[in-house]
Amino acid sequence: MIYREAGVYKTTYRADHAIFTIPQDRWSMIGIFAIAFLLIPAVGSEYWLGAIMLPFLILALAALGLNILTGYCGQLSLGTGGFMATGAFSAYKLATSFPDMHIVLVIFGAGLIAAAVGILFGIPSLRIKGFYLAVATLASQFFLIWMFDKFGWFTNYSASGVISAPPMTIFGDVFITGPEASLVAKYMFTLSVVVLLALVAKNLVRSNIGREWRAVRDMDIAAEIIGIPMLRTKLKAFAVSSFFCGVAGALWAFLYTGSVEPLAFDVNRSFQVLFMIIIGGLGSIMGAFLGAAFIILLPILLNNLPTMLGLNIRTDMISHMEYMIFGALIVFFLIVEPHGLARLWSLLKEKLRLWPFPH
Amino acid sequence: MRIERDIIYIILAFIVLMVVVPWTAGQLSDQIFFNWPFFFEVAIGGLLSGVMYSLIALGFVLIFKASGVFNFSQGAIVLFAALTLVGLHGLGLPMWLAIVATMGVMFLLAVSIERLVLSKLVNQEPIILFMATIGIAYFLDGFGQTLWGSEVKVLSLGISEAPGFYFDGQILINDFDLFAAGIAAVMVVGLSIFFQYTRIGRALRAVADDHQAALSVGIPLKHIWIIVWTVAGLVGLVAGMMWGSKMGVQFALSLIALKALPVLILGGFTSVPGAIIGGLIIGAGEKLAEVFLAPMIGGGIEEWFAYMLALLFLVFRPQGLFGEKIIERV
Amino acid sequence: MSNQDTPLLQINNIEVIYDHVILVLKGVSLNVPKGSIIALLGANGAGKSTTLKSISGLLGAERGVVTKGNILYKDQQVESQSPADLVDHGVIQVMEGRHCFEHLTIEENLLTGAYTLSGGRKAVAKNLEMVYQYFPRLAERRKSQAGYTSGGEQQMCAVGRALMSNPEMILLDEPSMGLAPQLVEDIFEIIKQLNEQEGVTFLLAEQNTNIALRYSDFGYIMENGRIVMEGLASELAENEDVKEFYLGISKEGKKNFRNVKNYRRRKRWLT
């Protein structure tokens, strides 16, 4: 750090309860918001906004959701894709059944439906633990995708099984979905939703509920003994997590791709999000964003690397090599810091605090 | 007492499969073709295909039992072993030599995984090791295909796929499936004995319980991990040979692992016999459901049916049918 | 101490850092002569366990590393050796909190301890016999799963498991943790016996200063990653400061630790 924490005096409980207790942290956060809300939409190219920032924000939101469930409550889940699909298809059904419904309501309504589905699939978690639960959550993943694929009702009987977002507006006349929507509008809308939900998540995890979650994660029996209701706590985590994933799925279908089929949310999506929280750091809000950035940018980088280096490699070869490098990098990061980028960041701060006189 | 209860569970499961399914099918006979010999043929076909799942699940069990790592890369190992075998055979090596050479490759693979990955992650949380194995899976998938190409390759073990014999004049079973079942049986017996009664087997189980304590009593984790991953590689090779000759050696082999997971949780992560029993239940259940249940609810249910079946069992027995009881003390 | 020439184990001024940033040991030196029982005393977080782990080579598993100083066992540097090698050379650690293999039976637990033992079945059987002699309770529970045995039995199992490797030196971390006073007494009695009859050297980290000083020959007291005091066990037990800070007795009888003056005096003593 360029600054030190020493010398920050708090005189009120309010100040002590703030998310960022150190003024410098607060300022840098405001700086980041300013960049995200003002600078990026102003200077970002089509490609950056549409192909990098949008998926980054949406997947970061999904990662946030999974991090609540896995990182904070300790329930390993491989069903993220299923819950995202639930969000996407619920949003579609809501938007087509009630054409007058406001987009914000559609998105959050889809989140609520996903939360309900999440609760349903969370019930077995009371008995099933650890990796058994992880594999069991795959059941929800496969079942949900199959369901959306199989029953025409979910896609309004479209022949291809693909759903397309109807054009919808905000503030009366600004299109944010459909072909007429501008990328900047999409970006701003997504960013607002993500920032809002990230703040919700940050406050949730440092509230009573968050402490219950962490107690369950660290030792569930001990938590139960001190009176934390196991089923309710776990289901709350499933509900909140699925809500986040559902919203992310709805945003993905409506704002990012515009039209989507169930396969977009297959098990690979679940793994992708899981990678994000592991690389980013389990049990860290910032980690979800760091991880998402890493996982989004890495394949893009790998894809462009051969051309950047002027190498001429066959395309199927490139895709195999990508797999290899991706796998190797995952392992490498886990070895460097098993607790993710967020932990690496705090270690860096620790080191700088001692700098220039290390132990 | 525990064993008795398990047996009751299994019998119950089979009653469900053998009575409820045909009964519903009988009720709906206008929609579905049904008669008893056909039913048994499907059931036996299912049991045998279940054995094939077991072959893969065994690899998972092995590594979990021996190091507490949920090794997601087992599917990739199967693919890699099969690719290497076919590739070496294609280079002109006779089959037996190719098999021996592949075994050597699997050993080298185990050594490098231990050196480069596991030794750096001693005493980390299970989820971290789990993620590392996913990384390994990605790497192996890419590596194998970079090395040997991604087109579908034919692997022939010289066992006929032709119907071997007819049972009761109606039900047919082919030689290949029987051969697979035989191999699986031999492996289960062998591995069970290895784990229960040998010095190394005991050390393996100790490592699974507590890495650090195992280190403290002087069990060299390094060797243990190399041994386990080599054995898992060999089991993967066997699975790769069987599956490869059935459906060709291709990337899809790697995904078969996803089908073996329900088998794994149903039988229990830590049980070698569980992998077989689980495979049988999943195999029979899945095939029967596919033939007699799927027409009613829209087909394609094999994607999730096995998982739902396993989930159902887990609700009653959270550690799988034969898994070690989870000991919890505060 | 000084009358013995080369100690079995010598720790010279080691520093240990966890995770690159947390400095836990700040220059610890101690000697363990052959055939003795040495006590390492101190409060929670003083660095006792870390000291033991840095000897047995278990630090690596916790991302800790010895950055300065060295550890000599029989005049050989051991700080970079693997735990398995050390067990082979005769140094074995019994970890704090027992760490039995829960899913293995008591007997299987003991047998894992014989992993490094050479000499085949006979040697193993002989050691097993010896362990059962010292801990008859284990013989009764030999077929039960370790996870379902009581805390005392698990502690006995952990010590017995270490004995199976024919150690010359056992690093014993908090044998009294979570045990009834009577059982603690029993365990220490057995340690004494092992020391006298089998010639096993013990380095034991303990919170229970009272009993540890009673059974050991020499003691070191640690605070905040440093050794603040050392001396013959009998002298330490008589020392006024030790009495006051660790045994809770002083000339005026029991002391109240909330007493500010008392706290100041302790602070001065530590710096």
Side-chain angles (χ1 to χ4, degrees), chain B residues 2 119-124 195-197 199-224 227 270 324-329, chain C residues 53 57-58 60-63 83-84 87 91-95 98-105 107-109 111-117 145-151 154 161-162 165:
Chain B
R2 208 185 117 202
S119 65
K120 310 267 198 289
L121 290 172
V122 180
N123 209 28
Q124 289 299 339
F195 270 111
Q196 203 60 42
Y197 299 109
R199 184 177 74 118
I200 306 242
R202 207 161 36 230
L204 293 178
R205 283 186 292 144
V207 173
D209 258 6
D210 192 331
H211 287 182
Q212 217 180 1
L215 270 174
S216 82
V217 296
I219 294 172
L221 273 191
K222 218 162 87 181
H223 301 171
I224 292 292
I227 293 171
T270 49
E324 277 166 349
K325 197 140 174 65
I326 304 156
I327 297 176
E328 284 180 306
R329 292 177 75 134
Chain C
K53 281 177 189 155
L58 287 173
E62 295 181 351
R63 305 210 147 212
V87 173
V91 185
I92 191 162
Q93 179 172 5
V94 176
M95 285 198 297
R98 305 183 272 275
H99 283 277
C100 283
F101 303 120
E102 300 177 327
H103 292 103
L104 274 61
T105 64
E107 182 150 310
E108 284 175 327
N109 259 286
L111 289 174
T112 56
Y115 189 86
T116 50
L117 202 64
Q145 262 196 353
Y148 290 120
T149 57
S150 75
Q154 290 193 21
R161 191 174 64 188
S165 64

Side-chain angles (χ1 to χ4, degrees), chain B residues 104-126:
Chain B
V105 172
M106 296 326 280
F107 172 70
L108 288 180
L109 181 69
V111 173
S112 22
I113 287 177
E114 196 283 326
R115 278 283 150 76
L116 300 174
V117 185
L118 298 174
S119 65
K120 310 267 198 289
L121 290 172
V122 180
N123 209 28
Q124 289 299 339
E125 286 160 57

Side-chain angles (χ1 to χ4, degrees), chain A:
Chain A
M1 287 286 100
I2 320 156
Y3 56 90
R4 305 202 171 201
E5 287 88 338
V8 178
Y9 300 111
K10 285 158 287 195
T11 49
T12 60
Y13 283 116
R14 260 184 78 84
D16 205 30
H17 283 171
I19 296 182
F20 301 103
T21 46
I22 300 165
Q24 286 94 333
D25 278 347
R26 237 169 2 244
W27 286 114
S28 44
M29 217 49 221
I30 290 172
I32 291 174
F33 280 144
I35 293 172
F37 276 103
L38 302 173
L39 189 65
I40 293 182
V43 301
S45 66
E46 288 268 288
Y47 176 74
W48 263 91
L49 281 181
I52 294 176
M53 287 312 288
L54 270 182
F56 158 67
L57 286 170
I58 294 170
L59 287 177
L61 185 62
L64 214 54
L66 183 62
N67 215 343
I68 285 174
L69 185 60
T70 303
Y72 284 97
C73 195
Q75 310 299 306
L76 184 53
S77 162
L78 297 173
T80 320
F83 299 131
M84 285 178 78
T86 309
F89 281 83
S90 318
Y92 178 68
K93 283 308 281 187
L94 283 176
T96 50
S97 311
F98 311 100
D100 294 331
M101 211 176 192
H102 194 265
I103 174 91
V104 176
L105 286 182
V106 169
I107 300 272
F108 285 99
L112 288 179
I113 294 174
V117 173
I119 291 177
L120 191 68
F121 281 102
I123 292 171
S125 72
L126 189 67
R127 277 192 59 80
I128 307 171
K129 288 171 185 169
F131 286 124
Y132 286 100
L133 180 68
V135 178
T137 54
L138 276 175
S140 64
Q141 167 75 40
F142 289 120
F143 179 77
L144 287 170
I145 299 300
W146 170 82
M147 192 173 79
F148 294 128
D149 200 34
K150 213 75 216 173
F151 296 105
W153 184 79
F154 290 106
T155 56
N156 286 351
Y157 303 99
S158 93
S160 54
V162 174
I163 53 168
S164 299
M168 298 181 87
T169 59
I170 196 169
F171 302 132
D173 55 350
V174 184
F175 277 97
I176 55 169
T177 65
E180 284 168 65
S182 76
L183 267 175
V184 174
K186 285 181 175 178
Y187 169 78
M188 290 300 274
F189 182 76
T190 312
L191 182 66
S192 311
V193 172
V194 172
V195 166
L196 177 73
L197 286 181
L199 283 176
V200 169
K202 181 78 193 169
N203 281 316
L204 263 184
V205 298
R206 60 199 202 107
S207 71
N208 213 357
I209 298 180
R211 283 188 288 275
E212 283 175 6
W213 284 339
R214 274 175 287 168
V216 169
R217 170 192 69 188
D218 290 343
M219 196 166 200
D220 52 356
I221 304 186
E224 206 170 357
I225 287 168
I226 59 165
I228 293 173
M230 196 58 41
L231 183 64
R232 239 188 301 156
T233 307
K234 281 182 179 175
L235 288 188
K236 266 184 225 161
F238 267 98
V240 175
S241 159
S242 312
F243 177 82
F244 277 58
C245 292
V247 170
L251 290 174
W252 183 276
F254 274 46
L255 275 83
Y256 173 47
T257 52
S259 62
V260 79
E261 53 177 346
L263 276 181
F265 302 110
D266 68 354
V267 67
N268 288 320
R269 180 76 58 214
S270 298
F271 277 122
Q272 190 186 24
V273 178
L274 187 61
F275 273 135
M276 286 175 185
I277 64 167
I278 301 275
I279 295 288
L282 284 172
S284 153
I285 300 287
M286 184 175 65
F289 286 92
L290 292 177
F294 183 81
I295 297 290
I296 294 281
L297 291 177
L298 183 64
I300 295 174
L301 188 73
L302 289 181
N303 236 326
N304 292 327
L305 205 59
T307 33
M308 270 153 62
L309 296 176
L311 296 173
N312 194 10
I313 310 174
R314 282 210 329 273
T315 41
D316 67 323
M317 209 58 143
I318 291 180
S319 91
H320 297 326
M321 300 280 270
E322 241 181 78
Y323 262 79
M324 271 173 71
I325 297 172
F326 187 74
L329 277 175
I330 294 283
V331 173
F332 173 75
F333 264 90
L334 288 177
I335 291 171
V336 173
E337 183 46 63
H339 298 104
L341 296 172
R343 169 98 176 118
L344 212 57
W345 174 241
S346 60
L347 273 182
L348 191 73
K349 282 204 279 195
E350 289 279 319
K351 273 193 184 168
L352 282 171
R353 209 170 280 149
L354 295 172
W355 188 82
F357 304 111
H359 291 311

